[in-house]
Amino acid sequence: MIKPIQSFEEYTATYASSISDPEAYWASQADQFVWKKKWTKTLEWNFTEPSVKWFLNGKLNITENILDRHLKVSPDKVALYWEANNPDEQGKAISYKELYEQVCLFAGVLRSKGIKKGDRVCIYMPMIPELTIAVLACARIGAIHSVIFAGFSASAVADRVNDAQAVAVITSDGSYRGTKSIGVKSLIDEALQTCASVKTVVVAKRTGDAVEMLSGRDYWWEEEIKKATPVYEAEEMDAEDPLFILYTSGSTGKPKGVVHSIGGYMVYTAFSFANVFQYKEGDIYFCTADIGWITGHSYLVYGPLLQGATQIMFEGVPTFPDAGRFWNIIDKYKVTHFYTAPTAIRSLMSFGNEVVEKYSLKSLKVLGSVGEPINEEAWHWYNEFIGKKNCPIVDTWWQTETGGILISPLAGITPLIPSYATLPLPGVQPVLVDANGMVLEGNNVEGNLCMKFPWPSIIRTTYGDHERCKQTYFSTYPNLYFTGDGCKRDENGYYRIIGRVDDVINVSGHRFGTAEIENAINEQADVIESAIVGYPHEIKGQGIYAYVICDKTDKSEDQLRKEILESVVKMIGPIAKPDKIQIVPGLPKTRSGKIMRRILRKIAEGELNSLGDTSTLLDPGVVEEIKKGAL
Ligand code: PRX
């Protein structure tokens, strides 16, 4: 188990030694785990191909470090408290021993369906314990899991399943979210109409609603585990074998499959969980993220369970039955660590303090924030009304591609500054560069955030397309990993993330490429062309503003907007719906045909009088037209 840093002095000394000899540092961390065979070389890397390998020739199974290891010392300790969507429904407490048994059993189900090491398995499920079990069962037999957030549409699911060439899908009959019950299996049925690679579908029962089961392909979870032979002998995996694929959006239209490998991801998620959160024996940790996103992978499944933590898994939404639900859960389970997103904080803040004041929240020790910059107002509210000025707030900066938290305070150990991610974790070497790639030395500088040295859980490739990984992250600046974020280093060397500098919009902590949403809008039959920009949104951080050119039609603008929204829901899902749609006669383009997004952003922000130079536009008149119709 990773032993966290205990003081600021220790952080400073550890940071210095981790940079002067990274290999020795990470080898000492990796030594804290169970390996079937120890690695022969700690690191081999170059950022040009790119190729990064950690713990070469090391053999292990990550689930032995999560299950078998803790089984020996604390079998009855609760791994997961599961809280149902409806507070009146009985929750579950699952011990490490029970989790071990369930994972081994479900691993047996996967094997009985012929699924083997290296096969891809897509998981599309609500937040029920079977989701964690399915993820770990894949890891137990060496299958590569690809969890797809259960809010994505059938079309988005099909794209991901096909890209991964998955042989199986694990899902549920339905799901509960707030007052709604949603058909999950029917969506999978629709998606799989275009997915020839999938031979097996396993369906866990949640709602009990009637679903269609295709004979020879579809099986009930509950029936299969009765017949299964448990996999007690975990598959021997190489440290560099892929653990999972997680699809994420970038500046191009098609989401890419970020690949993480087993050894480095294991070491880094446990290491960062232990150090950032300073979780101690007996603490109760609650991360509100969905496992469909990277936060759920690293800090709901792997990090906490590797460290033998007890945590909450919550099925529902923060506003059901009312906006006090998170606070209710905190009091009910005496939660000590609470990790959520700024968008949730802002949204709950808007319901007023009376909601919070009904709860004691006195068990809390550490608060966390992730997914987008946290504005100062939300930071202070979180500090005052949730933490009662008694809990450090760890503003954790990281990405799907980084696998784990790279820049963040260590709770109670390193200083806090509202809206700053503050300092890099040991072994993490951030640099800021200007637009020409010149490294900005010293303090009080602002530029594009890059990393100059690999950490163990860095992205290894984008599934099936290594060139794309190279182009996206390693080509903008030679020999650097480029994050896509702008960042400031203040006069004392503390980091403040400013936001994306590429065509990525961060809506409620979820990433979308502008091209991805434009493609979905363009599917509506009357649309000729569209352009998407982000604009500041009080709750979501960024809202989506769509400028759309349509063909001549008898349809009203309202009708067009409705159909455009339907198209986005169909192609991606409700989470990507634009907040504003303006039908425009044209788009501001340069003579070479490039859309001037800078101008569109200004209009979306309501800054109509500071559009800057428009003289290079092909048709400057179009800007006046857009301004007139601005929403
Ligand atoms: O822009 C940064 C923002 O979220 C992006 C990564 O998104 P994703 O891969 O979906 O992962 C989200 C959860 C780790 C980053 O490039 N971001 C994430 N955390 C922060 C943040 N921006 C500011 N402060 C943060 N703490």
Side-chain angles (χ1 to χ4, degrees):
M1 300 260 279
I2 297 285
K3 287 174 206 58
I5 288 164
Q6 296 297 309
S7 66
F8 191 38
E9 294 67 42
E10 187 185 344
Y11 163 79
T12 314
T14 306
Y15 187 78
S17 68
S18 73
I19 301 307
S20 67
D21 191 352
E23 292 187 34
Y25 181 70
W26 289 115
S28 73
Q29 299 300 314
D31 260 335
Q32 313 305 316
F33 295 85
V34 177
W35 295 80
K36 286 179 187 282
K37 263 189 224 133
K38 191 167 169 159
W39 60 95
T40 53
K41 193 172 180 205
T42 306
L43 173 64
E44 218 174 75
W45 71 286
N46 72 70
F47 275 176
T48 40
E49 281 176 62
S51 167
V52 180
K53 293 181 180 152
W54 282 95
F55 314 117
L56 288 85
N57 305 310
K59 305 288 176 197
L60 77 162
N61 188 290
I62 194 167
T63 69
E64 284 192 340
N65 284 280
I66 289 175
L67 302 169
D68 309 57
R69 187 164 58 138
H70 302 315
L71 189 67
K72 292 192 188 116
V73 283
S74 49
D76 299 325
K77 183 171 177 184
V78 174
L80 279 185
Y81 283 112
W82 178 72
E83 169 81 6
N85 173 64
N86 187 332
D88 297 332
E89 183 180 340
Q90 179 70 44
K92 289 181 187 165
I94 301 169
S95 68
Y96 272 90
K97 181 159 179 278
E98 286 162 332
L99 189 62
Y100 166 82
E101 280 160 2
Q102 293 296 317
V103 169
C104 293
L105 211 49
F106 194 65
V109 173
L110 296 178
R111 278 223 176 126
S112 74
K113 300 296 168 211
I115 298 162
K116 52 185 194 312
K117 183 170 172 168
D119 284 346
R120 277 81 51 220
V121 175
C122 284
I123 304 178
Y124 186 82
M125 292 178 110
M127 287 285 284
I128 53 178
E130 287 82 351
L131 170 52
T132 305
I133 293 165
V135 165
L136 295 177
C138 287
R140 188 99 184 150
I141 63 164
I144 302 168
H145 58 77
S146 175
V147 184
I148 304 170
F149 173 63
F152 279 116
S153 69
S155 157
V157 170
D159 284 349
R160 287 158 175 78
V161 169
N162 283 328
D163 190 81
Q165 284 294 291
V167 299
V169 171
I170 305 168
T171 188
S172 69
D173 50 358
S175 72
Y176 294 122
R177 283 185 74 73
T179 51
K180 284 188 261 174
S181 141
I182 301 160
V184 176
K185 172 65 164 56
S186 53
L187 186 140
I188 287 295
D189 289 340
E190 189 188 335
L192 294 190
Q193 282 174 9
T194 54
C195 303
S197 61
V198 174
K199 304 290 180 247
T200 307
V201 176
V202 184
V203 188
K205 208 164 246 166
R206 174 62 187 120
T207 57
D209 290 341
V211 296
E212 278 180 29
M213 297 292 278
L214 187 66
S215 166
R217 187 195 72 177
D218 299 355
Y219 304 90
W220 287 108
W221 175 297
E222 294 71 16
E223 285 169 20
E224 293 304 310
I225 53 171
K226 284 187 206 144
K227 299 184 267 180
T229 312
V231 179
Y232 292 125
E233 190 59 40
E235 188 81 33
E236 180 170 297
M237 304 299 291
D238 189 88
E240 277 302 325
D241 280 336
L243 175 62
F244 66 85
I245 306 170
L246 184 59
Y247 284 85
T248 189
S249 299
S251 3
T252 52
K254 199 171 151 270
K256 46 187 177 291
V258 171
V259 177
H260 283 289
S261 60
I262 301 168
Y265 183 81
M266 172 181 77
V267 171
Y268 198 83
T269 51
F271 159 85
S272 50
F273 173 76
N275 278 292
V276 169
F277 294 101
Q278 297 282 317
Y279 177 94
K280 304 266 166 359
E281 191 56 41
D283 286 345
I284 309 283
Y285 167 86
F286 177 22
C287 168
T288 68
D290 191 290
I291 293 176
W293 309 105
I294 192 68
T295 307
H297 280 62
S298 301
Y299 299 111
L300 211 133
V301 179
Y302 288 106
L305 294 178
L306 282 162
Q307 284 295 101
T310 296
Q311 63 170 328
I312 313 289
M313 179 183 199
F314 174 44
E315 181 185 35
V317 295
T319 48
F320 178 76
D322 59 44
R325 188 64 191 278
F326 281 167
W327 323 133
N328 175 281
I329 295 174
I330 291 171
D331 278 0
K332 178 172 171 186
Y333 295 94
K334 304 211 169 15
V335 168
T336 54
H337 290 64
F338 180 64
Y339 190 29
T340 195
T343 184
I345 299 168
R346 288 191 296 263
S347 148
L348 296 175
M349 200 168 119
S350 73
F351 286 89
N353 297 337
E354 315 81 73
V355 185
V356 182
E357 280 156 7
K358 287 192 208 138
Y359 300 92
S360 108
L361 306 180
K362 67 172 188 289
S363 55
L364 285 172
K365 297 202 290 195
V366 175
L367 300 176
S369 168
V370 60
E372 52 177 310
I374 178 165
N375 49 310
E376 291 203 30
E377 192 192 355
W379 195 98
H380 286 294
W381 184 82
Y382 201 25
N383 181 39
E384 213 165 299
F385 293 95
I386 307 305
K388 319 285 183 204
K389 295 192 178 162
N390 236 342
C391 304
I393 298 176
V394 290
D395 180 355
T396 63
W397 177 85
W398 59 297
Q399 310 178 293
T400 305
E401 296 85 346
T402 69
I405 299 164
L406 295 194
I407 305 181
S408 168
L410 310 185
I413 306 288
T414 62
L416 306 174
I417 311 173
S419 81
Y420 276 66
T422 71
L423 296 172
L425 267 62
V428 173
Q429 303 193 37
V431 291
L432 301 183
V433 298
D434 68 13
N436 304 317
M438 281 285 289
V439 172
L440 304 167
E441 306 284 355
N443 289 340
N444 221 351
V445 286
E446 195 173 308
N448 291 342
L449 178 62
C450 298
M451 298 290 154
K452 68 172 180 193
F453 197 88
W455 59 100
S457 62
I458 187 174
I459 179 175
R460 297 304 197 265
T461 188
T462 42
Y463 191 76
D465 189 352
H466 192 65
E467 183 60 23
R468 200 165 169 209
C469 173
K470 177 176 172 167
Q471 289 304 329
T472 312
Y473 309 106
F474 298 92
S475 296
T476 318
Y477 306 112
N479 295 318
L480 295 175
Y481 164 82
F482 176 42
T483 65
D485 278 335
C487 181
K488 168 183 159 176
R489 187 166 52 228
D490 78 0
E491 53 283 8
N492 299 313
Y494 289 82
Y495 290 85
R496 181 178 207 239
I497 307 299
I498 293 160
R500 302 289 305 196
V501 294
D502 53 9
D503 287 333
V504 167
I505 308 182
N506 193 330
V507 184
S508 301
H510 301 145
R511 263 163 80 169
F512 295 103
T514 51
E516 188 185 1
I517 300 177
E518 286 160 8
N519 289 349
I521 291 177
N522 299 351
E523 287 290 312
Q524 197 283 345
D526 300 295
V527 172
I528 298 175
E529 199 182 358
S530 60
I532 290 291
V533 295
Y535 71 98
H537 187 287
E538 222 175 291
I539 305 285
K540 299 178 175 183
Q542 276 190 300
I544 303 174
Y545 196 122
Y547 298 89
V548 186
I549 311 174
C550 291
D551 245 334
K552 277 207 167 42
T553 164
D554 293 338
K555 290 177 192 167
S556 69
E557 287 205 354
D558 277 350
Q559 180 62 22
L560 284 171
R561 286 197 187 94
K562 186 168 161 271
E563 290 182 20
I564 288 168
L565 288 177
E566 281 165 4
S567 182
V568 174
V569 170
K570 180 162 177 282
M571 299 303 292
I572 308 174
I575 44 175
K577 277 202 296 199
D579 299 274
K580 294 182 179 178
I581 301 172
Q582 183 181 350
I583 311 292
V584 293
L587 289 167
K589 288 189 180 171
T590 59
R591 289 195 175 83
S592 58
K594 199 170 170 309
I595 298 173
M596 295 270 277
R597 285 177 197 276
R598 176 178 58 78
I599 294 174
L600 295 177
R601 258 183 235 120
K602 287 272 181 206
I603 297 175
E605 286 164 12
E607 293 186 26
L608 303 186
N609 298 323
S610 55
L611 299 186
D613 181 18
T614 54
S615 62
T616 56
L617 291 178
L618 189 60
D619 174 13
V622 87
V623 175
E624 290 310 312
E625 292 292 318
I626 298 176
K627 273 165 69 175
K628 267 191 240 154
L631 301 170

